[in-house]
Amino acid sequence: MNEKIPEILRQIETVVVGKNEIVEKILMAILAGGHVLMEDVPGVGKTTTAMTFAKVLGLDTKRVQFTSDTVPSDIIGYSVYDKESGSFVYKPGAVMTNLLLADEINRTSSTQSALLEAMEELHVTVDGKTYELPQPFVVLATQNPVGSAGTQMLPPSQMDRFMIKISMGYPDFESQISILRDRHTENPLNRVTPVVDREQLQALIQEAAKAEIQDAVYEYVTRLTQASREHPMVQLGVSPRGALAVCRMAKAYAYLNGRDFVIPEDVAAVFPDVCCHRLVLTTKARMMEERPETVIAAILDSVKMPVIKQ
């Protein structure tokens, strides 16, 4: 593990108090080149978490507050006619950044679809011209629980592009006391400083991607994802994109644990966060109030974990 990693975690955890596991998962997703969806009730620190990551990782960041009147051109940009040159000029949208904070992404209907190309292919197309996004590019999106006033479900095509979906949850008793004390006179976010810059973060991403995966681990991932597609409670299982995300996230998990190789336990550890939001349960399962988390746990129990010799 790179010596910068502990300092990155330490700085972020001075602001995001009592959520060390969540902080590590978000950092793993970023190192895996993925995007993060944070779902929770308002006021638990989702936006603060995103802004802290941007500052500590030295990333250029932009924020879009998704509302009913947000339009795709706010996201990907637009072309305007320039009289002097006699041609159309591209005006960049919010995606032309390193870390895009998509706040309350499920409060708009079709606008979030403007992110599909950017999140998967790392470029956008406006008026027939393609524009590459800055690297690294990460979407940290927040959403309020479906059913809250003004919210709606994101389509599977959008959900599948998020590497992980996590929930912040309320802080415990001691953590909330610490939050109240730390914010009595100032915002702790003002005290954190960048630990790496964009180039150094890119180097960390490339370093994490070098972790070795044996064929037995690939087979384990495949058996798990196939089991999700064949489960009687599942209408739409984990896609090949999801299987790739499991492998990339497992590499980052191994990297943060000081290894340059992936073991089956790494896959099992990241599988719920990577796959729960990708499942679409059957109508019968929803009527029985089954949850994707329960289905994923059952799949992990039913699929035998291979033994790897190092």
Side-chain angles (χ1 to χ4, degrees):
M1 180 171 64
N2 190 285
E3 60 184 10
K4 296 282 188 181
I5 299 296
E7 179 60 15
I8 290 172
L9 294 172
R10 188 192 69 79
Q11 289 256 15
I12 294 171
E13 288 163 4
T14 61
V15 180
V16 186
V17 180
K19 298 295 178 181
N20 296 6
E21 184 178 353
I22 293 295
V23 168
E24 289 181 4
K25 287 178 180 179
I26 296 174
L27 181 57
M28 278 186 260
I30 292 174
L31 292 176
H35 310 289
V36 179
L37 179 61
M38 295 184 283
E39 179 183 271
D40 223 317
V41 296
V44 294
K46 301 186 296 296
T47 302
T48 298
T49 300
M51 299 305 293
T52 305
F53 267 93
K55 189 170 183 180
V56 172
L57 297 178
L59 299 176
D60 177 47
T61 182
K62 292 180 182 175
R63 173 180 176 179
V64 176
Q65 186 71 42
F66 281 78
T67 59
S68 57
D69 59 353
T70 305
V71 295
S73 60
D74 295 331
I75 312 299
I76 64 175
Y78 54 93
S79 297
V80 295
Y81 184 73
D82 180 54
K83 271 201 223 176
E84 294 184 4
S85 64
S87 60
F88 284 89
V89 178
Y90 173 61
K91 298 295 182 182
V95 291
M96 288 298 169
T97 189
N98 297 119
L99 190 149
L100 175 63
L101 172 54
D103 221 351
E104 296 187 306
I105 193 173
N106 62 337
R107 287 194 180 277
T108 185
S109 54
S110 60
T111 305
Q112 48 77 26
S113 64
L115 285 169
L116 295 179
E117 181 184 10
M119 293 174 69
E120 179 67 16
E121 301 171 42
L122 303 180
H123 57 64
V124 294
T125 303
V126 178
D127 294 332
K129 292 186 178 180
T130 299
Y131 303 91
E132 299 296 325
L133 299 181
Q135 295 301 311
F137 174 70
V138 180
V139 175
L140 282 183
T142 72
Q143 71 172 14
N144 293 329
V146 174
S148 304
T151 63
Q152 52 195 309
M153 291 181 63
L154 295 179
S157 59
Q158 180 76 71
M159 296 294 282
D160 203 33
R161 281 164 167 78
F162 286 104
M163 178 162 282
I164 61 170
K165 177 187 171 188
I166 56 175
S167 176
M168 296 290 293
Y170 289 116
D172 59 32
F173 187 83
E174 294 299 329
S175 296
Q176 180 155 319
I177 292 175
S178 179
I179 291 169
L180 297 175
R181 185 188 303 115
D182 290 345
R183 287 158 177 76
H184 180 63
T185 57
E186 66 171 329
N187 186 348
L189 183 57
N190 297 330
R191 298 198 299 264
V192 300
T193 57
V195 177
V196 294
D197 56 26
R198 285 175 292 180
E199 288 72 24
Q200 290 171 322
L201 179 58
Q202 272 292 89
L204 292 178
I205 292 172
Q206 293 168 4
E207 196 174 319
K210 293 178 181 177
E212 294 290 332
I213 301 184
Q214 294 187 18
D215 284 349
V217 176
Y218 285 130
E219 292 170 6
Y220 181 48
V221 172
T222 301
R223 286 198 297 271
L224 287 171
T225 53
Q226 282 189 334
S228 76
R229 300 165 195 164
E230 297 166 359
H231 196 283
M233 294 292 185
V234 176
Q235 178 180 327
L236 186 64
V238 179
S239 67
R241 182 191 287 124
L244 287 168
V246 171
C247 292
R248 287 160 52 196
M249 190 71 174
K251 285 184 177 185
Y253 186 92
Y255 181 70
L256 253 66
N257 282 275
R259 283 181 278 104
D260 60 359
F261 58 91
V262 174
I263 57 177
E265 286 79 2
D266 298 335
V267 172
V270 304
F271 195 73
D273 291 316
V274 175
C275 296
C276 281
H277 65 284
R278 301 174 194 271
L279 296 188
V280 176
L281 301 186
T282 63
T283 302
K284 179 181 178 181
R286 294 195 296 271
M287 289 179 63
M288 295 172 61
E289 297 186 350
E290 286 286 345
R291 295 179 55 80
E293 293 81 0
T294 305
V295 173
I296 289 295
I299 290 171
L300 284 169
D301 286 341
S302 65
V303 176
K304 185 178 179 181
M305 183 181 292
V307 177
I308 301 296
K309 295 181 179 180
Q310 296 294 338

